[in-house]
Amino acid sequence: MDIGMTPFENIVSCLERGESFVLQGGAGSGKTETLKKLLDYISKHMPEKRVACITHTNLAADEIKARAGELHAISTIHSFLNGIINSFRIDLHKVIHELFLLPEFKVGQAMDDDKEYKKREHERYKKAYGKYADKAYLILKIKEAKVLGKPMYDKDPQAANTVLNEKIKHLNASVLEHIKKASPQKVCYNETAFDSFRDLSFGHDGLVKLAVSLMCERKKLRKILADKYDYIFVDEYQDTSPDIVRAFLDYVVKDQNIVFWFFGDSMQGIYEDGVGDVENYVQADAIEKINKEDNYRCSEQVVKLINNLRDDGLEQSVAFKTRENGDLETLADRQGRVKLVYAICDDKPTQHSPREDKDSYLKKLNKLIETARGVDSYKMLMLTNKAVASEAGFSQLYEIFNSRFGQATNENLEKVLAICHFSELYELHEDYGNKRYAKVIRFVKKSGFVLDSVFHKDELLVAFKSVFDLNSPAHDAIHESFKLKLLKQSDSYERFVRRREEFFEAAMGNSRYSAFKDQYVSGFDSLSKLNKAGFDVDEYEFGDLERDVKRELFYNDFFGGKITLGEVFKYYDYLSEKTNFITMHKTKGSGIENVLVVADEFFWRDYKFGNVFSAGDITAENRKIMYVACSRAIKNLTCVRIMSTEESSTIKDYFNEIECVSLD
């Protein structure tokens, strides 16, 4: 990169030399505008060149299309990949087994602690057995026996593993035989989140896996890709699957005359399934790195803070936008406030602390938040927790999942609702409510709804009225949607429901479990309480039985009438940032005038925000989450944290205002 040139001039230089590059720019740097400007440049100066531009959302694709027109192929990553592999039906037929075969169970690495090793191995075995049992029922219609308990497994784990692997081999052979008999023309992308063995179709993740497999193994496909495009742009590259990046840069580039350009920011790589960064390719001189230091979004004070949160050496500076009247902004227009409001607590509770200690701590935190809010109007960014769920209108839903999954509540809440098709139903509801009728019709047709007359359209309106009763039990709406063919039931949903049915079948005849459950729900909900009450149980059996009780309570509450469709939709409104509360778990988007960031872990074990504003170690993952949250602020940013005396003694010079609040 020539430091005497502007980022765009460096980009044009790479363009003329036919070199791949990554444009690294922080929040508000105008990366997408640069992408659009580059498309304009190619259209005017190199009209013979063919460009594909890949985005991660339809919204982003539409935004770029509005500027670039129809001269280039602009689409989401899934549309792009499907366009590449869709005609390779025979090849897809040869690799689709990769989505459905189960790996054999392998013994884990030994540990010094033999007791912990045995516990871990049995958990791994249970998980592998569960996956096998699900697929055995779906594919072979075999109902397997309940998984071996730990005492039985520990007697001869090698024999148990051998039996399981023989079963997996038999199942995989049946999978291969079924695929072999099916027509290659049947294999297709179903445009949902789920792979379907029944239909031999693949969903979003399956599409990525199969596309990568074909790009890496089939030179013919890579040649067709190069014949079709000269340049491929990847927007928000940090969120792209690492396997896709590997296929592009380790395979396509190596033997085809095609150039890849990546636009994004490694500091905003907060999703686990994204590549995060492409620094290894930069270091290997496979691509050139171009830094874009502009910040067109944030006030001068916010820019200073988020620069201190970055760990990649890129330092942004305030860049001025052109106003509607043609005048340029001045530095006076880009002033704001960055404030830290904190309190001291040297005995902060952990996830294992008593509930009363946690409740007391949260009362202090809420008091601190109220102090920080003052009279200003803020959007509040924090990790999802019970208080936020209550404010946003999905407290019952959150509590049901929190009681079942504890520390894994957030990931399971989103995952289970998606498996049960609530995300699809919400999207259908939003499209219908916003009069995006073309999307609505396309979706319901794929689900099996017949729409070839005015009469059928009237039927569709009646169906929507029936399903979209927000006061109805949530699962009633799902079942009604299946019945009316507004939704198509997936294999994943079928497996989820069957696991519930099998659980209740096994529990009904288990007197030991029934006795334990009676004691547990009566208040004897710990190992010590049960033993003192005369109920003899060891820690391993207690763990298994407690999980089963929580599972039963979850099934009863989740599938019962406790949760309304309206509450589920409130949760999706929250994820879509339609409330004053925004989750830090997946917070990425446009700027917000005033932001209040609550830098608290809420007892989640996966987050450690200690030292984020002070001297000391902090992991890259936690630093990135805080960077993304703080960089949403356009003008004013207030950060709230309860910290130890030691942490408070090394608060860095990030803030122009610091206030310590006494909570006693």
Side-chain angles (χ1 to χ4, degrees):
M1 182 179 74
D2 188 337
I3 58 174
M5 299 168 66
T6 67
F8 191 76
E9 287 170 343
N10 273 304
I11 289 171
V12 171
S13 176
C14 285
L15 175 66
E16 292 171 346
R17 289 180 278 122
E19 292 187 3
S20 297
F21 71 80
V22 55
L23 180 71
Q24 177 86 343
S29 62
K31 295 181 294 293
T32 302
E33 284 303 311
T34 301
L35 188 154
K36 295 174 188 175
K37 184 178 177 182
L38 184 54
L39 287 173
D40 288 344
Y41 181 91
I42 293 171
S43 299
K44 292 173 184 175
H45 299 282
M46 309 167 77
E48 77 283 359
K49 297 296 184 180
R50 298 148 304 166
V51 179
C53 179
I54 303 169
T55 71
H56 285 272
T57 66
N58 286 309
L59 185 64
D62 292 341
E63 183 185 338
I64 296 170
K65 283 178 185 176
R67 166 76 173 265
E70 302 297 326
L71 294 175
H72 308 291
I74 301 165
S75 65
T76 63
I77 182 70
H78 295 114
S79 295
F80 174 79
L81 294 176
N82 188 47
I84 295 172
I85 69 173
N86 187 46
S87 60
F88 284 74
R89 296 298 178 93
I90 293 176
D91 296 278
L92 283 168
H93 186 257
K94 291 177 181 177
V95 297
I96 196 170
H97 65 269
E98 295 177 11
L99 304 182
F100 303 111
L101 294 185
L102 282 178
E104 292 185 24
F105 182 75
K106 294 182 179 179
V107 176
Q109 190 172 357
M111 299 169 62
D112 293 334
D113 188 328
D114 187 59
K115 186 176 179 181
E116 281 301 310
Y117 173 74
K118 287 181 177 180
K119 180 180 178 182
R120 186 196 69 184
E121 286 303 285
H122 181 246
E123 288 298 322
R124 292 181 62 247
Y125 169 81
K126 279 173 61 179
K127 189 174 181 179
Y129 188 92
K131 287 184 177 180
Y132 158 75
D134 282 345
K135 287 207 168 183
Y137 182 82
L138 178 69
I139 295 168
L140 303 176
K141 300 304 176 187
I142 293 174
K143 283 191 175 183
E144 287 289 351
K146 188 177 179 181
V147 64
L148 291 178
K150 187 175 182 299
M152 288 295 294
Y153 180 79
D154 284 348
K155 287 181 180 180
D156 194 346
Q158 185 177 353
N161 295 343
T162 299
V163 170
L164 174 58
N165 283 333
E166 287 302 316
K167 290 176 179 289
I168 290 173
K169 287 177 184 177
H170 174 65
L171 175 65
N172 286 344
S174 298
V175 168
L176 293 172
E177 185 64 25
H178 173 80
I179 293 172
K180 182 179 178 181
K181 291 178 180 177
S183 167
Q185 298 306 312
K186 186 179 181 182
V187 180
C188 66
Y189 173 45
N190 59 36
E191 300 184 48
T192 73
F194 310 105
D195 301 323
S196 173
F197 181 75
R198 182 170 46 220
D199 301 333
L200 271 195
S201 65
F202 45 90
H204 304 322
D205 291 342
L207 170 64
V208 170
K209 185 171 184 177
L210 296 180
V212 167
S213 180
L214 292 184
M215 274 193 282
C216 294
E217 299 297 327
R218 306 292 197 273
K219 185 174 181 179
K220 179 182 176 183
L221 187 145
R222 300 196 294 271
K223 177 69 167 58
I224 290 174
L225 187 61
D227 289 341
K228 195 171 183 179
Y229 302 112
D230 299 295
Y231 309 121
I232 294 179
F233 296 3
V234 181
D235 194 21
E236 300 290 356
Y237 78 84
Q238 73 276 357
D239 299 330
T240 305
S241 160
D243 293 328
I244 290 292
V245 174
R246 176 175 60 85
F248 284 166
L249 295 181
D250 289 345
Y251 288 87
V252 179
V253 167
K254 294 291 176 68
D255 61 12
Q256 302 299 326
N257 185 27
I258 192 167
V259 177
F260 287 91
W261 297 336
F262 299 90
F263 297 75
D265 181 14
S266 60
M267 278 301 294
Q268 297 184 61
I270 61 174
Y271 301 150
E272 291 181 359
D273 54 356
V275 69
D277 64 64
V278 290
E279 197 61 32
N280 55 326
Y281 292 102
V282 173
Q283 296 300 322
D285 293 325
I287 57 176
E288 184 171 327
K289 186 177 184 179
I290 301 171
N291 283 333
K292 195 173 190 304
E293 292 92 355
D294 302 319
N295 187 307
Y296 292 95
R297 173 191 295 173
C298 306
S299 65
E300 183 181 22
Q301 292 75 15
V302 173
V303 170
K304 177 187 173 184
L305 182 136
I306 62 177
N307 277 340
N308 283 306
L309 291 175
R310 295 191 72 95
D311 61 3
D312 62 349
L314 187 149
E315 186 167 331
Q316 288 187 290
S317 57
V318 174
F320 302 119
K321 299 188 289 287
T322 302
R323 298 192 186 97
E324 290 184 4
N325 64 3
D327 293 343
L328 203 63
E329 285 181 325
T330 67
L331 191 58
D333 298 316
R334 298 289 292 281
Q335 296 304 297
R337 185 185 70 183
V338 173
K339 182 178 181 180
L340 173 66
V341 180
Y342 75 97
I344 302 294
C345 180
D346 287 314
D347 55 350
K348 195 171 181 176
T350 69
Q351 65 188 83
H352 302 297
S353 298
R355 181 179 291 275
E356 53 268 24
D357 291 350
K358 292 181 181 179
D359 290 342
S360 176
Y361 173 83
L362 290 175
K363 286 180 181 178
K364 292 180 180 180
L365 180 61
N366 289 332
K367 180 180 176 182
L368 187 64
I369 292 170
E370 288 305 311
T371 302
R373 289 173 74 173
V375 296
D376 294 331
S377 175
Y378 286 95
K379 285 275 190 176
M380 194 181 305
L381 276 67
M382 65 175 79
L383 296 175
T384 305
N385 63 81
K386 185 176 180 179
V388 169
S390 179
E391 291 280 355
F394 59 94
S395 58
Q396 186 79 40
L397 176 68
Y398 185 84
E399 184 59 36
I400 287 170
F401 273 81
N402 190 236
S403 297
R404 168 71 175 91
F405 296 105
Q407 289 290 309
T409 294
N410 287 336
E411 60 192 83
N412 280 289
L413 180 53
E414 194 166 352
K415 179 182 175 182
V416 171
L417 290 181
I419 287 172
C420 294
H421 297 275
F422 284 111
S423 57
E424 288 181 324
L425 192 60
Y426 176 78
E427 189 173 343
L428 186 61
H429 179 264
E430 289 297 288
D431 286 338
Y432 176 66
N434 289 290
K435 300 182 179 180
R436 295 188 285 262
Y437 297 133
K439 283 187 68 178
V440 169
I441 291 170
R442 186 165 64 248
F443 183 87
V444 297
K445 277 187 172 181
K446 284 175 57 181
S447 300
F449 195 95
V450 177
L451 261 175
D452 52 16
S453 71
V454 173
F455 172 73
H456 290 135
K457 289 183 179 180
D458 291 338
E459 280 190 334
L460 181 60
L461 295 177
V462 171
F464 282 155
K465 187 175 181 180
S466 170
V467 168
F468 294 144
D469 177 1
L470 300 185
N471 294 315
S472 68
H475 276 279
D476 286 0
I478 293 297
H479 296 150
E480 187 72 4
S481 297
F482 290 152
K483 177 183 172 183
L484 297 173
K485 297 186 177 179
L486 299 179
L487 295 174
K488 185 177 182 181
Q489 184 173 310
S490 66
D491 290 351
S492 297
Y493 180 81
E494 185 178 322
R495 285 196 297 269
F496 184 73
V497 171
R498 189 184 63 79
R499 283 197 296 269
R500 170 179 173 260
E501 292 170 350
E502 287 183 343
F503 170 81
F504 280 111
E505 286 176 8
M508 281 179 63
N510 189 333
S511 58
R512 176 69 171 170
Y513 168 72
S514 296
F516 176 89
K517 184 181 73 171
D518 290 342
Q519 294 285 332
Y520 189 90
V521 298
S522 298
F524 299 95
D525 54 359
S526 70
L527 182 63
S528 59
K529 287 180 181 178
L530 283 167
N531 286 331
K532 286 178 182 178
F535 193 95
D536 188 26
V537 60
D538 63 28
E539 61 180 301
Y540 295 112
E541 187 184 17
F542 175 83
D544 285 341
L545 290 171
E546 182 182 45
R547 276 191 293 272
D548 283 347
V549 170
K550 289 184 175 182
R551 192 175 176 186
E552 179 179 341
L553 295 175
F554 170 76
Y555 282 145
N556 286 336
D557 291 342
F558 183 57
F559 284 94
K562 280 192 173 184
I563 306 170
T564 65
L565 183 64
E567 185 165 356
V568 174
F569 282 6
K570 287 282 189 182
Y571 169 72
Y572 283 108
D573 283 342
Y574 165 69
L575 290 187
S576 304
E577 301 190 1
K578 294 180 180 180
T579 72
N580 282 328
F581 300 90
I582 300 175
T583 175
M584 281 170 58
H585 177 58
K586 288 191 173 181
T587 174
K588 280 169 68 170
S590 57
I592 302 167
E593 188 77 7
N594 301 315
V595 169
L596 191 149
V597 172
V598 181
D600 197 90
E601 300 85 354
F602 291 94
F603 317 118
W604 298 118
R605 61 168 176 256
D606 296 333
Y607 302 97
K608 302 289 181 185
F609 296 139
N611 301 321
V612 69
F613 304 127
S614 307
D617 295 332
I618 180 170
T619 66
E621 291 76 16
N622 287 288
R623 183 185 292 273
K624 287 178 179 179
I625 288 172
M626 197 57 57
Y627 171 84
V628 170
C630 292
S631 65
R632 298 287 298 273
I634 294 174
K635 186 176 182 180
N636 299 316
L637 170 67
T638 298
C639 297
V640 172
R641 178 158 174 79
I642 294 181
M643 59 181 73
S644 66
T645 302
E646 181 182 0
E647 186 180 339
S648 71
S649 67
T650 59
I651 294 174
K652 293 185 175 179
D653 184 25
Y654 294 173
F655 303 89
N656 52 321
E657 290 184 49
I658 298 178
E659 179 183 356
C660 181
V661 177
S662 174
L663 299 177
D664 296 329

